[in-house]
Amino acid sequence: MYNAKAYAAGSATSPLASTTIARRDPTEHDVQIEISFCGICHSDLHQVRNEWNNVMPTVYPCVPGHEIVGRVTRVGSAVTRFKPGDLGAVGCMVDSDGTCPECQAGLEQFCRNGAFTYNFPDKHLGGVTYGGYSDSVVVDERFVLRVPSNLDLAGAAPLLCAGITTYSPMRHWGVTKGKKVGVVGLGGLGHMGVKFAHALGAHVVVFTTPPGKKEDALRLGADEVVISRNADEMRKHAGSFDFILDAVSADHDINAYIQLLRRDGNITIVGAPEKPLAVSVFSLIMGRRSFSGSPIGGIPETQEMLDFCSAHNIISDVEVIPIQKVNEAYERLLKSDVKYRFSIDMASLKSE
Ligand SMILES: NC(=O)c1ccc[n+]([C@@H]2O[C@H](COP(=O)([O-])OP(=O)(O)OC[C@H]3O[C@@H](n4cnc5c(N)ncnc54)[C@H](OP(=O)(O)O)[C@@H]3O)[C@@H](O)[C@H]2O)c1
Ligand SMILES: [Zn+2]
Ligand SMILES: [Zn+2]
């Protein structure tokens, strides 16, 4: 065991603060990574503030962070895919049984014996797992991704959650050239969804609340932008979408979007608001439309996504901050005041 520097929340109402945490020494299958950048996902904020209390209550202290990129510093004796000095990345998962049908299919996100990167029982040290707001992390080699060398590291970090969470449902629901695709909410996830839908050749429509994001949405790859509070603008698109990705973090009217799907169209929600949404079943029934959800993506697909980003020169638009600004960043995230993801420069932790 060794001590790592980290930022942790001590309760649902306290700010994140500097601390030290115990990490395990790499076992034979483990990779130790010195973390260069860690993205700030809205899930970090939900979890730190215990907003998902009904589903996954937060255990304190909580060290969030699951958009991790860095340099490999040590590897266990049985590790074959990484050596010290390599780039490595870790997303939302750090373990699974490897044997169940989901794992065999490369869909580890559905494994019943999996482990999340933070706030999950830690089978090695007891307590819970600690995430990437830290100077290092130790992870089983099976959950370490390869970072293509042409990707800027600060902008690559958010691919590990915001990237795969938007890429995976688009691939699953067949987003391709000729499809009309909507992306609701131009935040960290949403802006990645726009980039992927555009790169996959779809006609992309962004739904956003503030008019100020229109130019950005077009620059990111949207063909059209709809201000969702404008009912006339919404009505023009009725019954026309093949697929809509909903990446909104707060309560909102999902029915306004279901009505925009064509027959057999699908809306997939990846946003995880605190409270249940009310769904009008008639708008689903009448168009044989479907409403589904999607969690992150499996390890093989996460690597596929990173390689797709490498080939298409895709990274997240980031604002790099030192860890000391993390509490301010959370307040700004709540106001959608970030273009479009905070990425923490973990070198800033050295001065703590
Ligand atoms: N399914 C998964 O596996 C998964 C993975 C990662 C994250 N998530 C969840 O996905 C959600 C989004 O995460 P994120 O990191 O992208 O968050 P984010 O950067 O804060 O983006 C959320 C966006 O939602 C829109 N929004 C916020 N409040 C709204 C409101 N009251 N009404 C309408 N629109 C509103 C805003 O877009 P506009 O300003 O354009 O309107 C905002 O930019 C979070 O709930 C997060 O926990 C799920
Ligand atoms: Zn996330
Ligand atoms: Zn499994």
Side-chain angles (χ1 to χ4, degrees), residues 40-43 46 52 66 161-162 165 184-190 207-210 213 228-229 247-252 269-273 294-296 333-334 336 338 340-341:
I40 296 182
C41 180
H42 206 116
S43 301
H46 289 305
W52 294 336
H66 56 208
C161 178
T165 302
V184 188
L186 198 63
L189 264 57
F207 296 92
T208 179
T209 44
K213 289 186 179 173
S228 52
R229 290 185 178 135
V248 174
S249 54
D251 190 24
H252 60 293
I269 190 154
V270 288
S294 184
I296 46 172
L333 185 61
L334 281 173
S336 300
V338 52
Y340 278 88
R341 197 62 144 185

Side-chain angles (χ1 to χ4, degrees), residues 35-176:
I35 301 176
S36 308
F37 293 94
C38 183
I40 296 182
C41 180
H42 206 116
S43 301
D44 300 348
L45 190 155
H46 289 305
Q47 192 79 65
V48 158
R49 300 193 176 176
N50 206 11
E51 290 174 356
W52 294 336
N53 187 31
N54 293 333
V55 198
M56 22 181 154
T58 306
V59 177
Y60 296 96
C62 173
V63 178
H66 56 208
E67 297 184 334
I68 299 166
V69 294
R71 288 272 169 200
V72 173
T73 40
R74 278 199 283 172
V75 296
S77 57
V79 168
T80 57
R81 291 169 45 245
F82 292 92
K83 59 180 190 319
D86 287 351
L87 289 173
V90 179
C92 301
M93 299 181 290
V94 289
D95 200 12
S96 75
D97 57 26
T99 55
C100 75
E102 307 291 11
C103 287
Q104 294 291 307
L107 298 170
E108 299 86 353
Q109 72 272 36
F110 301 113
C111 179
R112 287 175 180 278
N113 300 303
F116 288 128
T117 306
Y118 61 83
N119 197 58
F120 204 88
D122 182 346
K123 73 175 186 195
H124 297 271
L125 297 182
V128 291
T129 51
Y130 293 131
Y133 296 10
S134 177
D135 55 3
S136 70
V137 67
V138 178
V139 177
D140 186 302
E141 149 173 62
R142 293 182 298 127
F143 290 86
V144 182
L145 285 302
R146 213 172 284 287
V147 184
S149 59
N150 63 326
L151 299 182
D152 170 73
L153 281 192
L159 299 176
L160 278 299
C161 178
I164 185 60
T165 302
T166 51
Y167 180 85
S168 180
M170 289 202 184
R171 299 284 289 157
H172 179 78
W173 290 98
V175 170
T176 50

